[in-house]
Amino acid sequence: MCGIVGYVGSEQAAPILLDGLARLEYRGYDSAGIAVVSPRHELQVKKTVGRLRALSDLVHGGADVEGTIGMGHTRWATHGAPNDVNSHPHVSENGKFAVIHNGIIENYVELKEFLISQGVTFRSETDTEVVAQLLEFYYNECGDFFESVGRVLRRIEGAYALGMLCADCPDRIIAARKDAPLLLGFGEGCSFLASDATAIIKHTRDVVYMDDGEIAVLTRGGIQLYNAMQQPIEKEHHHIEWEVSAAEKGGYPHFMLKEIMEQPDALRHAIAPRLRGGEIVFDDLKLTPEKIRGFDRIFIVACGSSYHVGMVGKYNLEHLLRRSVEVALASEFRYSDPIVDDKTLVIIISQSGETLDTMAALREAKKRGAYILSIVNVVGSSIARESDDVLYTWAGPEIAVATTKAYSTQLAVLDMVGLCFAKLLGTVKEEEYADAVRELALLPDKVKETLGHCEDIQKYAAQHFHHESVFFIGRNLDYALGLEGSLKLKEISYIHSEAYASGELKHGTISLIEDGTLVIALGTYGPLFDKAMSNVIEVKARGADVLALTTESHRNEMAKTVDHVLTIPDTAAMLLPSLGVVPLQLFSYYIALQRGCDIDKPRNLAKSVTVE
Ligand code: G6P
């Protein structure tokens, strides 16, 4: 979704801003722009619809906009079509104020009407422009940039990460945050602003994450933070550990392929430090055994692929804990009047830690007294900071919009939570626990082995990329796995695809199966293998072209009915989706490649969804 980068220092700002925006491209956007204050204290604003390349060409790589202070933005349209005018930065009527904004100003209509009644003329259809115009309005009243920002923040409602420039104060950027991520970077004689560390890591690893209500004034000499009352505050600095190379392609044609291939390492990071002497140990968990025993209800709440992790988790946690586990889409949960109290554990899953609906669901659950345990990838993200407990997935930065290594590591951590709690509650048999822990330790190697089937998968993708509709079928864990396989395929290849619980086929979906329909039959879950086979036979009988996924031990059995069989190594039942997802990711990747799709930045999608 929208990206923000800001710089004030002694170097030319435009190339730094363009480079920072390029590193945020993965978040998804439809237009981009920059504002740079010239040495003559004039605001130069350049923006355009389309890819960053167009913006870079417009300003000749930055050469056309001289100045050492500026801000850049990539926009993902919400209010107003993606076009040049609606792109950020937005400038006030007298050209003195420039604003970039992530989020939505909810009361913008009312504010716009007020400003129009005061004679202000608007150029764009966006909610953001009211911020620029209001700044000018209050500045005309008080003549002070910082004070004007305070007045604006007291008038606007909604979510925002804001970067603001004033031509009369050419030495500073003012930033403000509420419900949208924003961080500050500290350099030598320079300061940075970004919606995501990826944009500035090349320049500094010394950062402060802004919290809701905070305001920051960035100058060459440093950054001063203020609370919502505009009183100065000091905050803890964080050091970003990961390397710049982690956010680069490193020889792979796409981030998605790189991240698929990184899964063995990512899983090792997530699992190994938490396995000790055949036990699962969470040093990073604050929850006490008494508290765990006291929970009578568990929710897993998330969006997108993280929700699909929750779907697998439901089967595994209910089996292990003998307690009912509800999985909820964050966007539904937050408005559903959920039955949550102080005996409820809410497990929040989020790669970015910034998804707006997930964040709102967390706050709703917290308000009702729930204990919040989150599984998050991005360290220091909003969800991580507002949770009672956080388990990081340590997958490293994930750039491709379609998640792969974040999904795998979230799943491994959730499975480990299930096993750890089950051991404590005495609801899991010793042998099952020991087997699962042994297999968890082997998981990174088994994923690596599965990645070795790349060529077979590429071959099947070449045979099947022309299909316009695909069905994934499976039972139990394979059904939950199918949901993720289907999402991966549709989001990057634009092929219509659905996942069904095989038992439901007869209740409608089977009417869609005809000669040549592609069905991906998931039959990895041993206890229901025979049932899965019956469904495969049913769709074959109606002419479906079936590509099956099963374990090595069931390969021969599957091959009697199906022409194309992909396999994964055998493992503990609960870990099968962790292996099964790998061929499905690769299959989607190679299909999208065959179809010439923009794999890392699929149309209309964003990596981090910070609007409702
Ligand atoms: C977007 C991404 C998905 C992701 C979902 C939830 O839709 O494209 O890959 O699963 O958001 O994001 P989160 O960061 O909360 O896991």
PDB file of all heavy atoms in Angstrom, residues 252 260-268 408 441-455 457 552 567-569 578-579 582-583 585-586:
ATOM      1  N   TYR A 252      18.032 -13.647  -8.198  1.00  0.00           N
ATOM      2  CA  TYR A 252      16.773 -14.286  -8.605  1.00  0.00           C
ATOM      3  C   TYR A 252      15.984 -13.346  -9.515  1.00  0.00           C
ATOM      4  O   TYR A 252      16.041 -12.125  -9.351  1.00  0.00           O
ATOM      5  CB  TYR A 252      15.912 -14.610  -7.377  1.00  0.00           C
ATOM      6  CG  TYR A 252      16.407 -15.802  -6.605  1.00  0.00           C
ATOM      7  CD1 TYR A 252      17.250 -15.648  -5.521  1.00  0.00           C
ATOM      8  CD2 TYR A 252      16.026 -17.093  -6.975  1.00  0.00           C
ATOM      9  CE1 TYR A 252      17.715 -16.749  -4.815  1.00  0.00           C
ATOM     10  CE2 TYR A 252      16.479 -18.195  -6.278  1.00  0.00           C
ATOM     11  CZ  TYR A 252      17.320 -18.019  -5.199  1.00  0.00           C
ATOM     12  OH  TYR A 252      17.770 -19.101  -4.509  1.00  0.00           O
ATOM     13  N   ILE A 260      10.627 -17.946  -1.787  1.00  0.00           N
ATOM     14  CA  ILE A 260      10.249 -19.368  -1.733  1.00  0.00           C
ATOM     15  C   ILE A 260      11.496 -20.183  -1.373  1.00  0.00           C
ATOM     16  O   ILE A 260      11.476 -21.063  -0.521  1.00  0.00           O
ATOM     17  CB  ILE A 260       9.660 -19.830  -3.091  1.00  0.00           C
ATOM     18  CG1 ILE A 260       8.288 -19.206  -3.327  1.00  0.00           C
ATOM     19  CG2 ILE A 260       9.581 -21.353  -3.160  1.00  0.00           C
ATOM     20  CD1 ILE A 260       7.691 -19.474  -4.714  1.00  0.00           C
ATOM     21  N   MET A 261      12.597 -19.854  -2.066  1.00  0.00           N
ATOM     22  CA  MET A 261      13.842 -20.603  -1.874  1.00  0.00           C
ATOM     23  C   MET A 261      14.466 -20.347  -0.498  1.00  0.00           C
ATOM     24  O   MET A 261      15.263 -21.148  -0.019  1.00  0.00           O
ATOM     25  CB  MET A 261      14.851 -20.247  -2.980  1.00  0.00           C
ATOM     26  CG  MET A 261      14.389 -20.666  -4.356  1.00  0.00           C
ATOM     27  SD  MET A 261      14.135 -22.452  -4.424  1.00  0.00           S
ATOM     28  CE  MET A 261      13.471 -22.669  -6.049  1.00  0.00           C
ATOM     29  N   GLU A 262      14.120 -19.228   0.101  1.00  0.00           N
ATOM     30  CA  GLU A 262      14.682 -18.897   1.425  1.00  0.00           C
ATOM     31  C   GLU A 262      13.979 -19.647   2.552  1.00  0.00           C
ATOM     32  O   GLU A 262      14.372 -19.518   3.720  1.00  0.00           O
ATOM     33  CB  GLU A 262      14.526 -17.393   1.694  1.00  0.00           C
ATOM     34  CG  GLU A 262      15.605 -16.538   1.069  1.00  0.00           C
ATOM     35  CD  GLU A 262      15.333 -15.047   1.227  1.00  0.00           C
ATOM     36  OE1 GLU A 262      14.260 -14.666   1.745  1.00  0.00           O
ATOM     37  OE2 GLU A 262      16.187 -14.264   0.803  1.00  0.00           O
ATOM     38  N   GLN A 263      12.925 -20.384   2.223  1.00  0.00           N
ATOM     39  CA  GLN A 263      12.109 -20.962   3.297  1.00  0.00           C
ATOM     40  C   GLN A 263      12.866 -21.913   4.235  1.00  0.00           C
ATOM     41  O   GLN A 263      12.644 -21.873   5.439  1.00  0.00           O
ATOM     42  CB  GLN A 263      10.854 -21.620   2.717  1.00  0.00           C
ATOM     43  CG  GLN A 263       9.891 -20.544   2.251  1.00  0.00           C
ATOM     44  CD  GLN A 263       8.620 -21.066   1.648  1.00  0.00           C
ATOM     45  OE1 GLN A 263       7.567 -20.964   2.226  1.00  0.00           O
ATOM     46  NE2 GLN A 263       8.718 -21.632   0.468  1.00  0.00           N
ATOM     47  N   PRO A 264      13.780 -22.742   3.726  1.00  0.00           N
ATOM     48  CA  PRO A 264      14.507 -23.587   4.687  1.00  0.00           C
ATOM     49  C   PRO A 264      15.229 -22.752   5.752  1.00  0.00           C
ATOM     50  O   PRO A 264      15.140 -23.051   6.943  1.00  0.00           O
ATOM     51  CB  PRO A 264      15.503 -24.349   3.795  1.00  0.00           C
ATOM     52  CG  PRO A 264      14.848 -24.384   2.454  1.00  0.00           C
ATOM     53  CD  PRO A 264      14.111 -23.075   2.337  1.00  0.00           C
ATOM     54  N   ASP A 265      15.888 -21.678   5.323  1.00  0.00           N
ATOM     55  CA  ASP A 265      16.603 -20.831   6.289  1.00  0.00           C
ATOM     56  C   ASP A 265      15.648 -20.086   7.208  1.00  0.00           C
ATOM     57  O   ASP A 265      15.883 -19.976   8.411  1.00  0.00           O
ATOM     58  CB  ASP A 265      17.478 -19.794   5.558  1.00  0.00           C
ATOM     59  CG  ASP A 265      18.771 -20.437   5.075  1.00  0.00           C
ATOM     60  OD1 ASP A 265      19.101 -21.531   5.569  1.00  0.00           O
ATOM     61  OD2 ASP A 265      19.426 -19.845   4.193  1.00  0.00           O
ATOM     62  N   ALA A 266      14.591 -19.564   6.603  1.00  0.00           N
ATOM     63  CA  ALA A 266      13.620 -18.812   7.408  1.00  0.00           C
ATOM     64  C   ALA A 266      13.033 -19.728   8.483  1.00  0.00           C
ATOM     65  O   ALA A 266      12.901 -19.342   9.653  1.00  0.00           O
ATOM     66  CB  ALA A 266      12.519 -18.260   6.509  1.00  0.00           C
ATOM     67  N   LEU A 267      12.712 -20.960   8.098  1.00  0.00           N
ATOM     68  CA  LEU A 267      12.140 -21.899   9.073  1.00  0.00           C
ATOM     69  C   LEU A 267      13.152 -22.241  10.168  1.00  0.00           C
ATOM     70  O   LEU A 267      12.803 -22.358  11.339  1.00  0.00           O
ATOM     71  CB  LEU A 267      11.676 -23.178   8.360  1.00  0.00           C
ATOM     72  CG  LEU A 267      10.343 -23.030   7.630  1.00  0.00           C
ATOM     73  CD1 LEU A 267      10.130 -24.174   6.656  1.00  0.00           C
ATOM     74  CD2 LEU A 267       9.179 -22.984   8.635  1.00  0.00           C
ATOM     75  N   ARG A 268      14.403 -22.373   9.751  1.00  0.00           N
ATOM     76  CA  ARG A 268      15.458 -22.659  10.741  1.00  0.00           C
ATOM     77  C   ARG A 268      15.513 -21.538  11.781  1.00  0.00           C
ATOM     78  O   ARG A 268      15.580 -21.798  12.974  1.00  0.00           O
ATOM     79  CB  ARG A 268      16.797 -22.792  10.001  1.00  0.00           C
ATOM     80  CG  ARG A 268      17.670 -23.868  10.588  1.00  0.00           C
ATOM     81  CD  ARG A 268      18.807 -24.244   9.664  1.00  0.00           C
ATOM     82  NE  ARG A 268      18.456 -25.328   8.754  1.00  0.00           N
ATOM     83  CZ  ARG A 268      18.541 -25.267   7.428  1.00  0.00           C
ATOM     84  NH1 ARG A 268      18.962 -24.181   6.828  1.00  0.00           N
ATOM     85  NH2 ARG A 268      18.195 -26.312   6.702  1.00  0.00           N
ATOM     86  N   SER A 408       4.951 -19.739   5.835  1.00  0.00           N
ATOM     87  CA  SER A 408       5.582 -20.962   6.373  1.00  0.00           C
ATOM     88  C   SER A 408       6.041 -20.779   7.808  1.00  0.00           C
ATOM     89  O   SER A 408       5.866 -21.666   8.641  1.00  0.00           O
ATOM     90  CB  SER A 408       6.816 -21.338   5.554  1.00  0.00           C
ATOM     91  OG  SER A 408       6.450 -21.510   4.244  1.00  0.00           O
ATOM     92  N   ALA A 441      12.196 -30.205  13.864  1.00  0.00           N
ATOM     93  CA  ALA A 441      13.642 -29.984  13.687  1.00  0.00           C
ATOM     94  C   ALA A 441      14.066 -30.343  12.266  1.00  0.00           C
ATOM     95  O   ALA A 441      14.994 -29.741  11.708  1.00  0.00           O
ATOM     96  CB  ALA A 441      14.419 -30.800  14.704  1.00  0.00           C
ATOM     97  N   LEU A 442      13.363 -31.310  11.669  1.00  0.00           N
ATOM     98  CA  LEU A 442      13.720 -31.747  10.306  1.00  0.00           C
ATOM     99  C   LEU A 442      13.040 -30.918   9.216  1.00  0.00           C
ATOM    100  O   LEU A 442      13.373 -31.039   8.026  1.00  0.00           O
ATOM    101  CB  LEU A 442      13.320 -33.218  10.116  1.00  0.00           C
ATOM    102  CG  LEU A 442      14.046 -34.239  10.997  1.00  0.00           C
ATOM    103  CD1 LEU A 442      13.421 -35.636  10.811  1.00  0.00           C
ATOM    104  CD2 LEU A 442      15.531 -34.286  10.633  1.00  0.00           C
ATOM    105  N   LEU A 443      12.067 -30.115   9.632  1.00  0.00           N
ATOM    106  CA  LEU A 443      11.245 -29.403   8.642  1.00  0.00           C
ATOM    107  C   LEU A 443      12.065 -28.571   7.635  1.00  0.00           C
ATOM    108  O   LEU A 443      11.823 -28.667   6.422  1.00  0.00           O
ATOM    109  CB  LEU A 443      10.206 -28.537   9.367  1.00  0.00           C
ATOM    110  CG  LEU A 443       9.069 -27.985   8.518  1.00  0.00           C
ATOM    111  CD1 LEU A 443       8.252 -29.092   7.871  1.00  0.00           C
ATOM    112  CD2 LEU A 443       8.158 -27.096   9.365  1.00  0.00           C
ATOM    113  N   PRO A 444      13.035 -27.772   8.096  1.00  0.00           N
ATOM    114  CA  PRO A 444      13.794 -26.979   7.109  1.00  0.00           C
ATOM    115  C   PRO A 444      14.430 -27.863   6.027  1.00  0.00           C
ATOM    116  O   PRO A 444      14.379 -27.520   4.836  1.00  0.00           O
ATOM    117  CB  PRO A 444      14.869 -26.284   7.959  1.00  0.00           C
ATOM    118  CG  PRO A 444      14.275 -26.216   9.331  1.00  0.00           C
ATOM    119  CD  PRO A 444      13.467 -27.468   9.480  1.00  0.00           C
ATOM    120  N   ASP A 445      14.981 -29.017   6.427  1.00  0.00           N
ATOM    121  CA  ASP A 445      15.604 -29.902   5.426  1.00  0.00           C
ATOM    122  C   ASP A 445      14.559 -30.530   4.515  1.00  0.00           C
ATOM    123  O   ASP A 445      14.796 -30.721   3.314  1.00  0.00           O
ATOM    124  CB  ASP A 445      16.412 -31.003   6.127  1.00  0.00           C
ATOM    125  CG  ASP A 445      17.690 -30.431   6.720  1.00  0.00           C
ATOM    126  OD1 ASP A 445      18.128 -29.364   6.229  1.00  0.00           O
ATOM    127  OD2 ASP A 445      18.225 -31.007   7.683  1.00  0.00           O
ATOM    128  N   LYS A 446      13.415 -30.856   5.070  1.00  0.00           N
ATOM    129  CA  LYS A 446      12.374 -31.468   4.231  1.00  0.00           C
ATOM    130  C   LYS A 446      11.793 -30.441   3.252  1.00  0.00           C
ATOM    131  O   LYS A 446      11.406 -30.790   2.135  1.00  0.00           O
ATOM    132  CB  LYS A 446      11.288 -32.102   5.104  1.00  0.00           C
ATOM    133  CG  LYS A 446      11.818 -33.328   5.847  1.00  0.00           C
ATOM    134  CD  LYS A 446      10.726 -34.199   6.420  1.00  0.00           C
ATOM    135  CE  LYS A 446      11.360 -35.453   7.017  1.00  0.00           C
ATOM    136  NZ  LYS A 446      10.376 -36.407   7.542  1.00  0.00           N
ATOM    137  N   VAL A 447      11.744 -29.182   3.675  1.00  0.00           N
ATOM    138  CA  VAL A 447      11.296 -28.136   2.736  1.00  0.00           C
ATOM    139  C   VAL A 447      12.327 -28.016   1.613  1.00  0.00           C
ATOM    140  O   VAL A 447      11.976 -27.912   0.428  1.00  0.00           O
ATOM    141  CB  VAL A 447      11.084 -26.786   3.467  1.00  0.00           C
ATOM    142  CG1 VAL A 447      10.966 -25.642   2.479  1.00  0.00           C
ATOM    143  CG2 VAL A 447       9.836 -26.859   4.337  1.00  0.00           C
ATOM    144  N   LYS A 448      13.589 -28.103   1.982  1.00  0.00           N
ATOM    145  CA  LYS A 448      14.654 -28.006   0.979  1.00  0.00           C
ATOM    146  C   LYS A 448      14.532 -29.144  -0.037  1.00  0.00           C
ATOM    147  O   LYS A 448      14.640 -28.943  -1.256  1.00  0.00           O
ATOM    148  CB  LYS A 448      16.005 -28.074   1.690  1.00  0.00           C
ATOM    149  CG  LYS A 448      17.148 -27.647   0.847  1.00  0.00           C
ATOM    150  CD  LYS A 448      18.359 -27.424   1.692  1.00  0.00           C
ATOM    151  CE  LYS A 448      19.483 -26.919   0.802  1.00  0.00           C
ATOM    152  NZ  LYS A 448      20.716 -26.793   1.517  1.00  0.00           N
ATOM    153  N   GLU A 449      14.271 -30.331   0.496  1.00  0.00           N
ATOM    154  CA  GLU A 449      14.097 -31.498  -0.377  1.00  0.00           C
ATOM    155  C   GLU A 449      12.913 -31.259  -1.333  1.00  0.00           C
ATOM    156  O   GLU A 449      13.001 -31.547  -2.529  1.00  0.00           O
ATOM    157  CB  GLU A 449      13.825 -32.696   0.535  1.00  0.00           C
ATOM    158  CG  GLU A 449      13.860 -34.039  -0.146  1.00  0.00           C
ATOM    159  CD  GLU A 449      13.531 -35.147   0.867  1.00  0.00           C
ATOM    160  OE1 GLU A 449      13.826 -35.000   2.080  1.00  0.00           O
ATOM    161  OE2 GLU A 449      12.957 -36.153   0.407  1.00  0.00           O
ATOM    162  N   THR A 450      11.835 -30.704  -0.803  1.00  0.00           N
ATOM    163  CA  THR A 450      10.645 -30.439  -1.626  1.00  0.00           C
ATOM    164  C   THR A 450      10.969 -29.419  -2.724  1.00  0.00           C
ATOM    165  O   THR A 450      10.483 -29.530  -3.856  1.00  0.00           O
ATOM    166  CB  THR A 450       9.496 -29.913  -0.736  1.00  0.00           C
ATOM    167  OG1 THR A 450       9.360 -30.798   0.366  1.00  0.00           O
ATOM    168  CG2 THR A 450       8.190 -29.846  -1.488  1.00  0.00           C
ATOM    169  N   LEU A 451      11.788 -28.434  -2.378  1.00  0.00           N
ATOM    170  CA  LEU A 451      12.168 -27.427  -3.379  1.00  0.00           C
ATOM    171  C   LEU A 451      12.953 -28.047  -4.532  1.00  0.00           C
ATOM    172  O   LEU A 451      13.008 -27.494  -5.629  1.00  0.00           O
ATOM    173  CB  LEU A 451      13.010 -26.323  -2.719  1.00  0.00           C
ATOM    174  CG  LEU A 451      12.243 -25.369  -1.791  1.00  0.00           C
ATOM    175  CD1 LEU A 451      13.203 -24.531  -0.958  1.00  0.00           C
ATOM    176  CD2 LEU A 451      11.307 -24.474  -2.593  1.00  0.00           C
ATOM    177  N   GLY A 452      13.537 -29.201  -4.274  1.00  0.00           N
ATOM    178  CA  GLY A 452      14.290 -29.912  -5.304  1.00  0.00           C
ATOM    179  C   GLY A 452      13.416 -30.403  -6.454  1.00  0.00           C
ATOM    180  O   GLY A 452      13.917 -30.783  -7.508  1.00  0.00           O
ATOM    181  N   HIS A 453      12.053 -30.405  -6.246  1.00  0.00           N
ATOM    182  CA  HIS A 453      11.157 -30.873  -7.326  1.00  0.00           C
ATOM    183  C   HIS A 453      10.750 -29.748  -8.272  1.00  0.00           C
ATOM    184  O   HIS A 453       9.799 -29.883  -9.049  1.00  0.00           O
ATOM    185  CB  HIS A 453       9.880 -31.489  -6.738  1.00  0.00           C
ATOM    186  CG  HIS A 453      10.120 -32.655  -5.844  1.00  0.00           C
ATOM    187  ND1 HIS A 453      10.934 -33.691  -6.197  1.00  0.00           N
ATOM    188  CD2 HIS A 453       9.658 -32.943  -4.604  1.00  0.00           C
ATOM    189  CE1 HIS A 453      10.960 -34.581  -5.209  1.00  0.00           C
ATOM    190  NE2 HIS A 453      10.210 -34.144  -4.220  1.00  0.00           N
ATOM    191  N   CYS A 454      11.472 -28.649  -8.167  1.00  0.00           N
ATOM    192  CA  CYS A 454      11.166 -27.453  -8.953  1.00  0.00           C
ATOM    193  C   CYS A 454      10.907 -27.731 -10.436  1.00  0.00           C
ATOM    194  O   CYS A 454       9.954 -27.221 -11.016  1.00  0.00           O
ATOM    195  CB  CYS A 454      12.389 -26.563  -8.847  1.00  0.00           C
ATOM    196  SG  CYS A 454      12.039 -24.931  -8.416  1.00  0.00           S
ATOM    197  N   GLU A 455      11.761 -28.567 -11.015  1.00  0.00           N
ATOM    198  CA  GLU A 455      11.653 -28.787 -12.471  1.00  0.00           C
ATOM    199  C   GLU A 455      10.351 -29.463 -12.862  1.00  0.00           C
ATOM    200  O   GLU A 455       9.716 -29.118 -13.858  1.00  0.00           O
ATOM    201  CB  GLU A 455      12.844 -29.597 -12.974  1.00  0.00           C
ATOM    202  CG  GLU A 455      14.024 -28.692 -13.216  1.00  0.00           C
ATOM    203  CD  GLU A 455      15.233 -29.449 -13.710  1.00  0.00           C
ATOM    204  OE1 GLU A 455      15.085 -30.560 -14.255  1.00  0.00           O
ATOM    205  OE2 GLU A 455      16.347 -28.904 -13.530  1.00  0.00           O
ATOM    206  N   ILE A 457       7.587 -29.311 -11.269  1.00  0.00           N
ATOM    207  CA  ILE A 457       6.493 -28.354 -11.080  1.00  0.00           C
ATOM    208  C   ILE A 457       6.449 -27.377 -12.255  1.00  0.00           C
ATOM    209  O   ILE A 457       5.380 -27.062 -12.787  1.00  0.00           O
ATOM    210  CB  ILE A 457       6.660 -27.624  -9.727  1.00  0.00           C
ATOM    211  CG1 ILE A 457       6.604 -28.656  -8.599  1.00  0.00           C
ATOM    212  CG2 ILE A 457       5.604 -26.549  -9.548  1.00  0.00           C
ATOM    213  CD1 ILE A 457       7.052 -28.167  -7.256  1.00  0.00           C
ATOM    214  N   GLU A 552       5.180 -39.125  -0.116  1.00  0.00           N
ATOM    215  CA  GLU A 552       5.913 -40.173  -0.830  1.00  0.00           C
ATOM    216  C   GLU A 552       5.312 -41.556  -0.581  1.00  0.00           C
ATOM    217  O   GLU A 552       5.181 -42.373  -1.484  1.00  0.00           O
ATOM    218  CB  GLU A 552       7.390 -40.147  -0.419  1.00  0.00           C
ATOM    219  CG  GLU A 552       8.188 -39.200  -1.308  1.00  0.00           C
ATOM    220  CD  GLU A 552       9.372 -38.561  -0.620  1.00  0.00           C
ATOM    221  OE1 GLU A 552       9.859 -39.120   0.394  1.00  0.00           O
ATOM    222  OE2 GLU A 552       9.794 -37.479  -1.085  1.00  0.00           O
ATOM    223  N   THR A 567       4.924 -35.011  -5.063  1.00  0.00           N
ATOM    224  CA  THR A 567       5.009 -35.551  -3.692  1.00  0.00           C
ATOM    225  C   THR A 567       5.790 -34.623  -2.767  1.00  0.00           C
ATOM    226  O   THR A 567       6.616 -33.820  -3.202  1.00  0.00           O
ATOM    227  CB  THR A 567       5.692 -36.932  -3.664  1.00  0.00           C
ATOM    228  OG1 THR A 567       6.982 -36.797  -4.230  1.00  0.00           O
ATOM    229  CG2 THR A 567       4.895 -37.984  -4.359  1.00  0.00           C
ATOM    230  N   ILE A 568       5.483 -34.830  -1.489  1.00  0.00           N
ATOM    231  CA  ILE A 568       6.275 -34.197  -0.428  1.00  0.00           C
ATOM    232  C   ILE A 568       6.771 -35.321   0.483  1.00  0.00           C
ATOM    233  O   ILE A 568       6.155 -36.398   0.512  1.00  0.00           O
ATOM    234  CB  ILE A 568       5.437 -33.182   0.383  1.00  0.00           C
ATOM    235  CG1 ILE A 568       4.150 -33.832   0.919  1.00  0.00           C
ATOM    236  CG2 ILE A 568       5.131 -31.942  -0.432  1.00  0.00           C
ATOM    237  CD1 ILE A 568       3.373 -32.963   1.901  1.00  0.00           C
ATOM    238  N   PRO A 569       7.840 -35.100   1.238  1.00  0.00           N
ATOM    239  CA  PRO A 569       8.299 -36.144   2.151  1.00  0.00           C
ATOM    240  C   PRO A 569       7.257 -36.416   3.238  1.00  0.00           C
ATOM    241  O   PRO A 569       6.466 -35.525   3.567  1.00  0.00           O
ATOM    242  CB  PRO A 569       9.560 -35.535   2.777  1.00  0.00           C
ATOM    243  CG  PRO A 569       9.957 -34.410   1.897  1.00  0.00           C
ATOM    244  CD  PRO A 569       8.715 -33.911   1.239  1.00  0.00           C
ATOM    245  N   SER A 578       2.855 -27.541   6.018  1.00  0.00           N
ATOM    246  CA  SER A 578       4.113 -26.777   5.937  1.00  0.00           C
ATOM    247  C   SER A 578       4.952 -27.252   4.758  1.00  0.00           C
ATOM    248  O   SER A 578       5.696 -26.475   4.166  1.00  0.00           O
ATOM    249  CB  SER A 578       4.929 -26.944   7.217  1.00  0.00           C
ATOM    250  OG  SER A 578       4.252 -26.353   8.280  1.00  0.00           O
ATOM    251  N   LEU A 579       4.842 -28.527   4.428  1.00  0.00           N
ATOM    252  CA  LEU A 579       5.548 -29.039   3.247  1.00  0.00           C
ATOM    253  C   LEU A 579       4.681 -28.874   2.002  1.00  0.00           C
ATOM    254  O   LEU A 579       5.166 -28.497   0.930  1.00  0.00           O
ATOM    255  CB  LEU A 579       5.897 -30.510   3.440  1.00  0.00           C
ATOM    256  CG  LEU A 579       6.931 -30.833   4.534  1.00  0.00           C
ATOM    257  CD1 LEU A 579       7.131 -32.339   4.654  1.00  0.00           C
ATOM    258  CD2 LEU A 579       8.258 -30.155   4.220  1.00  0.00           C
ATOM    259  N   VAL A 582       4.670 -25.713  -0.306  1.00  0.00           N
ATOM    260  CA  VAL A 582       5.830 -25.367  -1.148  1.00  0.00           C
ATOM    261  C   VAL A 582       5.565 -25.660  -2.635  1.00  0.00           C
ATOM    262  O   VAL A 582       5.733 -24.765  -3.476  1.00  0.00           O
ATOM    263  CB  VAL A 582       7.103 -26.067  -0.621  1.00  0.00           C
ATOM    264  CG1 VAL A 582       8.284 -25.842  -1.547  1.00  0.00           C
ATOM    265  CG2 VAL A 582       7.425 -25.572   0.789  1.00  0.00           C
ATOM    266  N   PRO A 583       5.140 -26.889  -3.005  1.00  0.00           N
ATOM    267  CA  PRO A 583       4.851 -27.110  -4.440  1.00  0.00           C
ATOM    268  C   PRO A 583       3.735 -26.202  -4.952  1.00  0.00           C
ATOM    269  O   PRO A 583       3.751 -25.801  -6.123  1.00  0.00           O
ATOM    270  CB  PRO A 583       4.400 -28.580  -4.507  1.00  0.00           C
ATOM    271  CG  PRO A 583       4.732 -29.181  -3.206  1.00  0.00           C
ATOM    272  CD  PRO A 583       4.978 -28.100  -2.201  1.00  0.00           C
ATOM    273  N   GLN A 585       3.127 -23.095  -3.973  1.00  0.00           N
ATOM    274  CA  GLN A 585       3.727 -21.770  -4.224  1.00  0.00           C
ATOM    275  C   GLN A 585       4.466 -21.786  -5.555  1.00  0.00           C
ATOM    276  O   GLN A 585       4.337 -20.871  -6.382  1.00  0.00           O
ATOM    277  CB  GLN A 585       4.736 -21.430  -3.119  1.00  0.00           C
ATOM    278  CG  GLN A 585       4.137 -21.251  -1.737  1.00  0.00           C
ATOM    279  CD  GLN A 585       5.197 -21.272  -0.637  1.00  0.00           C
ATOM    280  OE1 GLN A 585       6.330 -21.696  -0.868  1.00  0.00           O
ATOM    281  NE2 GLN A 585       4.830 -20.836   0.556  1.00  0.00           N
ATOM    282  N   LEU A 586       5.267 -22.843  -5.751  1.00  0.00           N
ATOM    283  CA  LEU A 586       6.063 -22.933  -6.984  1.00  0.00           C
ATOM    284  C   LEU A 586       5.165 -23.051  -8.208  1.00  0.00           C
ATOM    285  O   LEU A 586       5.417 -22.444  -9.256  1.00  0.00           O
ATOM    286  CB  LEU A 586       7.013 -24.131  -6.913  1.00  0.00           C
ATOM    287  CG  LEU A 586       8.242 -23.944  -6.019  1.00  0.00           C
ATOM    288  CD1 LEU A 586       8.933 -25.280  -5.770  1.00  0.00           C
ATOM    289  CD2 LEU A 586       9.232 -22.953  -6.646  1.00  0.00           C
TER     290      LEU A 586
END
